[in-house]
DNA sequence: GAGGTTTTCGCTCCAGAGGCGATAACTAGG
DNA sequence: CCTAGTTATCGCCTCTGGAGCGAAAACCTC
């Protein structure tokens, strides 16, 4: 850090800064978050979010990716975005630690093998979590639910290819209610979020008409007509 | 900071952390941002956002309020919310400084008296700004525009009482296009964002029918039917 | 090929955004 | 007091897009 003149130095107070990842995925029909069990004090034996400090040459995104790698194959994380930064003085009993949350999403069909201290937990029946981590989890689920309805973020929860029934169940788990399959199809196709392929799924266990296989048009986050109201003139 | 046992210490790297406020307001029919001119190096004579470091007992909100007080009467800031946190290593040439942005809004009718180094600048014709501050300004205007259409955030840009014409001009300045007065009224009243009072404005300079005086139902941020799509069953 | 199952399509309905012209409600000037 | 000018507001229409339901399609098994 070149400090040329005396008056040029930054003399703002410094704080340890951590990044925390709320990795969400639909497991077994339920929206789950990836947690690991702390082996050491403080908050020993409580479940915590993956995360940790930020190295001096790292940006947040690299830092969170690095910490995440200890718990899960980061190539399985299809989407990652920043949440809010918390500044509560006592969120960590040991020292004042600032924390920036991240939302990560893993498609429902990938099955990363996890370390023995790590597991998926349904967000509807969370165990006691360490520190203030539940705040981050709430923020993350809220963000996911909001974005499901005005972005294509579903791509990060769904397999590369899927049927409408599967997608409806995914949305159902993530949103907390089941959208109608008819409407879901119409809405997402009209917005060019998903596209039918020319193949059909082999009709499952109990017979029935084979479903069309769909895929997301793009697997990068796009906002679809974000503000349906107070539109600009055309 | 009580560090009980050796292993209990947090040994994450620490960084200076600053908070920056993007204070927006409609001045003279244009959306403006509050900037002050740096007198010292680095980036001397460039325009910068209000802000600064975070004291050890402060939370971000208190910190930003404190720094803001040096430039403007904070009671005039009707709304304040956090934006993203930037972690670029070289955003400040002197040292690595993490920065959390805030969006602040000042109603168009309050005229805070500003220090001589501080002034409003239209966001459409910004001067060269210091550091990476233009990124924060872009994020702030984007957030404001988005929220204008699905929240009641307009209360923080408008006077306590106003006519529809005034409100239309405010929205026009903030959004970059003029919504139709008819539609604006219908949308905002149907959503119970604004309410007519029983008084009328004295018809201005050039005659004409006196306009009904409206006011915002509440002056706290509320989200109005955030997700107009993929609704839950009723 | 009959009966069961699941998907998909067509039809309708409805809420809410958006536009435009007619009318209301004032001022100013004669 | 009447008229012209100006601005606000309301009523009526359209249009987009979400939501529901039942019939038909497409498969399976027996």
């Amino acid at each position: 850090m070149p400090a040329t003149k005396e008056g040029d130095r930054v003399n703002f107070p410094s704080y340890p800064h951590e990044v925390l990842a709320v990795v969400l995925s639909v497991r077994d029909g339920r929206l789950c978050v990836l947690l690991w069990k702390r082996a050491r004090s403080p908050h020993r034996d409580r479940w915590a979010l993956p995360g940790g400090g930020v190295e001096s040459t790292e940006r947040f995104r690299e830092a969170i990716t690095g910490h995440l790698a200890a718990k899960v194959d980061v190539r399985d994380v299809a989407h990652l975005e920043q949440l809010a930064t918390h500044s509560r003085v006592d969120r960590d009993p040991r020292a004042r630690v600032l924390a920036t949350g991240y939302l990560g999403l893993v498609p429902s069909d990938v099955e990363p093998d996890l370390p023995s201290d790590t597991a998926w937990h349904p967000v509807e029946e969370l165990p006691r979590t360490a520190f203030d981590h539940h705040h981050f989890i709430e923020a993350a689920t809220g963000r996911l639910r909001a974005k499901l309805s005005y972005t294509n973020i579903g791509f990060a929860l769904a397999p590369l290819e899927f049927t409408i029934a599967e997608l409806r169940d995914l949305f159902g788990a993530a949103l907390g209610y089941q959208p109608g399959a008819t409407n879901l199809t119409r809405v997402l196709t009209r917005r060019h979020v998903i596209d039918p392929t020319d193949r059909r799924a082999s009709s499952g266990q109990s017979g029935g008409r084979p479903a069309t296989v769909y895929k997301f048009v793009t697997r990068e986050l796009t906002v679809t007509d974000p503000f349906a109201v107070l539109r600009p003139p055309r």
Side-chain angles (χ1 to χ4, degrees), chain A:
Chain A
M1 303 305 149
T4 48
K5 277 183 288 182
E6 185 62 22
D8 280 350
R9 249 201 250 109
V10 174
N11 59 353
F12 298 155
S14 293
Y15 304 98
H17 199 113
E18 66 176 341
V19 285
L20 295 169
V22 184
V23 179
L24 300 177
S25 184
V26 176
R27 303 277 126 185
D28 229 355
R30 304 206 290 177
L31 185 64
C32 293
V33 56
L34 191 74
L35 297 173
W36 63 283
K37 196 170 200 167
R38 289 180 61 85
R40 293 191 308 194
S41 175
H43 292 202
R44 176 178 172 158
D45 287 338
R46 287 211 200 159
W47 292 89
L49 293 171
V54 177
E55 294 304 317
S56 66
T57 58
E58 281 178 328
R59 299 188 57 171
F60 285 172
R61 173 165 284 267
E62 306 163 50
I64 194 63
T65 307
H67 291 299
L68 223 33
K71 301 298 179 187
V72 70
D73 188 334
V74 292
R75 289 169 303 187
D76 294 338
V77 180
H79 177 72
L80 198 57
E81 71 176 47
Q82 195 189 103
L83 300 169
T85 298
H86 286 231
S87 60
R88 269 193 53 183
V89 175
D90 58 353
R91 37 177 311 279
D92 189 312
R94 296 165 291 184
R96 180 175 193 181
V97 180
L98 303 178
T100 298
Y102 270 77
L103 164 64
L105 298 174
V106 173
S108 62
D109 62 327
V110 320
E111 197 70 60
D113 34 39
L114 306 174
S116 59
D117 63 351
T118 307
W120 296 101
H121 290 265
V123 293
E124 296 304 338
E125 36 187 270
L126 281 186
R128 280 197 75 174
T129 52
F131 308 102
D132 57 352
H133 289 191
H134 59 283
H135 285 139
F136 291 88
I137 298 173
E138 284 159 24
T141 57
R143 180 93 130 229
L144 171 62
R145 284 177 180 149
K147 284 207 165 179
L148 273 176
S149 73
Y150 68 90
T151 72
N152 68 341
I153 203 170
F155 78 84
L157 289 178
L160 277 171
E161 302 192 321
F162 49 87
T163 67
I164 293 297
E166 290 167 355
L167 191 64
R168 170 175 43 73
D169 291 345
L170 284 179
F171 271 69
L175 290 174
Y177 60 86
Q178 203 93 339
T182 306
N183 202 35
L184 185 65
T185 316
R186 261 185 320 218
V187 170
L188 295 186
T189 51
R190 185 168 30 204
R191 295 178 178 174
H192 299 291
V193 168
I194 61 175
D195 256 354
T197 67
D198 50 3
R199 287 175 304 105
R200 350 245 98 170
S202 59
S203 56
Q205 45 281 42
S206 52
R209 175 173 174 171
T212 304
V213 174
Y214 281 78
K215 61 179 174 51
F216 275 87
V217 172
T218 169
R219 296 181 63 74
E220 291 191 2
L221 190 70
T222 54
V223 178
T224 68
D225 194 2
F227 323 115
V229 289
L230 264 25
R231 281 208 197 75
R234 273 162 299 181

